[in-house]
Amino acid sequence: MLLWAVLALPAVTADRLGMNEPRPLWQQLAGLAVLAAAAALSRRQPLASFALTAALGLAATPALFSVSYGPALGVFAVLLGLRAPRSRPAVTAFVAVALVGTARIALVGVDPPPEWLVLTGTLLFGCVFPWLCGRYWRQSRALAEAGWLKAARLEDEQRHAEERARLRERARIAQDMHDSLGHELSLLALRAAALQVSPGLATDHRAAAADLRAAAADATDHLHRIIGVLREDDEPVPLAPAGESVRQLVARAAESGLPVRWEEPSDTTAAEAPEPGGVTAHLLHRVVREALTNAARHAPGAPVVVAVRNHAHGTTVTVTNGPATQEATATRGGSGLLGLRAAVTSVGGDFRAGPHGEGFRVRAYVPAQRPTTSARQPAGSPAGTLTAVTAPFTRARRRVALGLGAAAGAGVVLVGAAFGWYAYTETHSVLTPAAYAKLRPGTPYDEVAPVLPDREAHDPPTDRAPAPPAGAHCRYYRASGELLVSIDHFRLCFDTPGRQGRLISKDVVPGVGRPDPDREESTENGGPTR
């Protein structure tokens, strides 16, 4: 009701303010009824609302635009773009309105060129452009909704990713604690075993050393069962550098009593060692630490050999132990080797572990890793999330804005071209009043032709002109070059259509609504002139 009241206000007041030609009361009431039907259908059937308003505008004036119904036409065009999901029916409606308006102008138009220009301008700037604005508004709302939904989804994903990262970090810390503490406890048990068999030790001291060794072995087993269950097989290798190199690790294990030795590489031209603190160095340290821990736990007393070979594209480490010379403490099998295999293969390396002769061998090849830096924002960071959300919407808005600009530009070019052609044809069909005054009936066409313009008026006011002489062939010319207004026309009538004819009459046809108080009516050769 409010929409109808607002749109009906111009239709009611335009006639009273003198902006339209007076219309009968029944026409005004019919127009208000059509506007009421269009307002009622605007939500569910926006295309029908626009079609009703366009039909009302064409019924009121062939040029489509009127002060009474022009605002309603633009409003329903905006609602059509805002509420109609598809664009093809709207384009079809615009083409139909243009065709019907052109046909009405050709049939009942008073001055077709200006009326067609008004029709084109109204269709472009009063229908198409508001419709595009409505579609832009619709897409902006849809994009905003999609953006908020995507932002909420990304926030949920980021929250879940942070939770997973937290859990994985806890698992990594537990894994490092298990590996490092297990290694230290194994070395502690090894020192206790060496103290137990040392000569000159009292019996009670030997028993205490044996209890210490057993307690260290039990602590290692408990540590494995409590913390080792948190180990993630697919856990990426942390980039934190190890506190010591592989050589230092082997030396510390040897000082603790483990029969381990470092085997120097025989190839003196080997490639450089991996960079300390890098992924390769940390993985090598982790492999050797786990292998030494397993050797001390499962093969006590067995000699261990650690060999590292540097290659052009990576590093190979081999840890080999012989058969056990002492009785091993019963412990549960761990997942340390499985974790090492996953860590090594995740960086493109190769990991092998299995029996070797009477002992066991662990061999790992780790390719050289180049540190990479990127200036881009992480995917989970706020800036990365904002960019991921706004980038596609910005491109979509840019496409819509380009569409609006293209439509407006096409309308301007079309209207400009039409107006240019109209101006050209009208200004080249002007017969000056001075030249017209010199023309005399009976003058041959060859003498009249030099003062005639290149073109004839293509919209002659034949309905306002007096009846031509019988059998005459008349031509119409404009009296001035004024555009978009009704002006006087000159009519010249010849007795034959060809160049052999003679001028038999000339007349002035005044423009619509132009007063003519100062001109005296006379007759030359039976033809009325002014």
Side-chain angles (χ1 to χ4, degrees):
M1 291 295 295
L2 181 61
L3 176 63
W4 173 78
V6 171
L7 297 180
L9 184 62
V12 174
T13 59
D15 293 349
R16 298 180 180 276
L17 296 178
M19 297 182 181
N20 285 334
E21 295 183 2
R23 294 174 300 163
L25 179 61
W26 71 269
Q27 289 186 0
Q28 297 184 19
L29 295 178
L32 294 179
V34 173
L35 288 180
L41 296 174
S42 61
R43 185 173 297 277
R44 297 183 178 273
Q45 298 291 333
L47 182 61
S49 298
F50 174 79
L52 285 175
T53 311
L56 183 62
L58 290 175
T61 171
L64 184 62
F65 177 78
S66 65
V67 178
S68 298
Y69 307 122
L73 187 67
V75 170
F76 286 120
V78 172
L79 295 180
L80 177 61
L82 180 62
R83 295 172 177 174
R86 301 192 315 171
S87 60
R88 183 172 298 178
V91 175
T92 304
F94 296 149
V95 173
V97 171
L99 294 178
V100 173
T102 301
R104 278 186 54 81
I105 289 174
L107 294 176
V108 301
V110 178
D111 201 359
E115 292 181 353
W116 188 83
L117 283 176
V118 174
L119 171 66
T120 304
T122 303
L123 192 62
L124 287 174
F125 297 103
C127 298
V128 177
F129 198 75
W131 171 72
L132 288 175
C133 292
R135 285 190 61 83
Y136 179 79
W137 189 5
R138 173 189 177 88
Q139 291 186 6
S140 296
R141 290 168 56 183
L143 291 176
E145 284 185 24
W148 284 112
L149 290 177
K150 187 170 183 179
R153 186 168 60 251
L154 288 176
E155 287 179 358
D156 291 340
E157 292 177 358
Q158 184 177 1
R159 185 168 57 251
H160 294 326
E162 290 175 354
E163 183 65 23
R164 288 194 302 269
R166 220 171 10 249
L167 294 176
R168 292 172 73 90
E169 181 65 17
R170 291 176 181 177
R172 186 191 66 80
I173 295 174
Q175 176 179 334
D176 286 349
M177 288 177 61
H178 171 269
D179 293 344
S180 59
L181 292 180
H183 178 71
E184 297 297 335
L185 289 174
S186 297
L187 294 182
L188 180 60
L190 188 62
R191 288 177 179 270
L195 182 61
Q196 180 184 357
V197 298
S198 63
L201 197 64
T203 303
D204 54 346
H205 291 168
R206 291 180 186 277
D211 293 340
L212 178 60
R213 180 178 60 83
D218 291 340
T220 303
D221 189 48
H222 288 313
L223 180 67
H224 168 71
R225 285 189 284 110
I226 295 174
I227 300 180
V229 295
L230 299 177
R231 184 187 298 270
E232 293 277 354
D233 288 344
D234 60 344
E235 182 70 22
V237 180
L239 298 180
E244 59 186 353
S245 65
V246 175
R247 182 187 289 270
Q248 293 172 343
L249 174 63
V250 172
R252 188 163 59 87
E255 292 176 357
S256 300
L258 183 68
V260 59
R261 65 181 178 87
W262 174 270
E263 185 178 278
E264 294 290 344
S266 59
D267 186 5
T268 57
T269 62
E272 295 182 359
E275 180 183 359
V279 175
T280 303
H282 183 82
L283 266 180
L284 294 176
H285 186 279
R286 182 175 170 186
V287 168
V288 174
R289 185 181 62 190
E290 182 68 23
L292 294 180
T293 302
N294 291 339
R297 182 187 305 168
H298 302 291
V304 183
V305 178
V306 178
V308 177
R309 299 290 186 272
N310 297 317
H311 310 288
H313 302 289
T315 304
T316 301
V317 61
T318 304
V319 182
T320 308
N321 64 270
T325 59
Q326 302 175 15
E327 183 179 356
T329 304
T331 59
R332 295 186 180 184
S335 58
L337 295 181
L338 295 178
L340 288 178
R341 184 184 302 278
V344 172
T345 55
S346 67
V347 296
D350 178 69
F351 182 86
R352 298 179 185 179
H356 179 73
E358 297 182 359
F360 197 85
R361 168 176 286 182
V362 175
R363 182 182 181 276
Y365 168 74
V366 181
Q369 304 294 318
R370 292 183 177 86
T372 59
T373 58
S374 176
R376 285 186 285 181
Q377 293 286 347
S381 65
T385 302
L386 181 61
T387 303
V389 172
T390 58
F393 301 145
T394 302
R395 290 193 294 269
R397 292 173 187 273
R398 188 180 298 114
R399 288 196 297 269
V400 174
L402 289 177
L404 287 172
V412 171
V413 170
L414 181 60
V415 173
F419 185 80
W421 174 251
Y422 167 73
Y424 173 80
T425 56
E426 299 300 277
T427 54
H428 283 71
S429 61
V430 176
L431 177 61
T432 62
Y436 172 80
K438 295 178 180 179
L439 298 178
R440 295 289 181 267
T443 306
Y445 178 82
D446 292 339
E447 296 180 12
V448 176
V451 299
L452 297 181
D454 298 337
R455 306 176 62 89
E456 297 180 29
H458 65 278
D459 53 342
T462 55
D463 55 333
R464 303 193 307 272
H473 299 274
C474 300
R475 301 185 180 188
Y476 290 82
Y477 300 96
R478 295 170 60 88
S480 70
E482 295 181 81
L483 303 177
L484 302 178
V485 294
S486 181
I487 62 172
D488 296 345
H489 283 71
F490 297 137
R491 187 180 70 177
L492 305 180
C493 296
F494 297 87
D495 54 0
T496 59
R499 300 181 64 88
Q500 304 300 324
R502 290 179 176 273
L503 179 66
I504 59 176
S505 69
K506 64 177 187 176
D507 305 278
V508 176
V509 182
V512 176
R514 297 173 69 93
D516 194 19
D518 299 330
R519 295 182 180 176
E520 298 179 356
E521 187 173 331
S522 61
T523 303
E524 297 184 14
N525 291 342
T529 61
R530 292 182 181 272

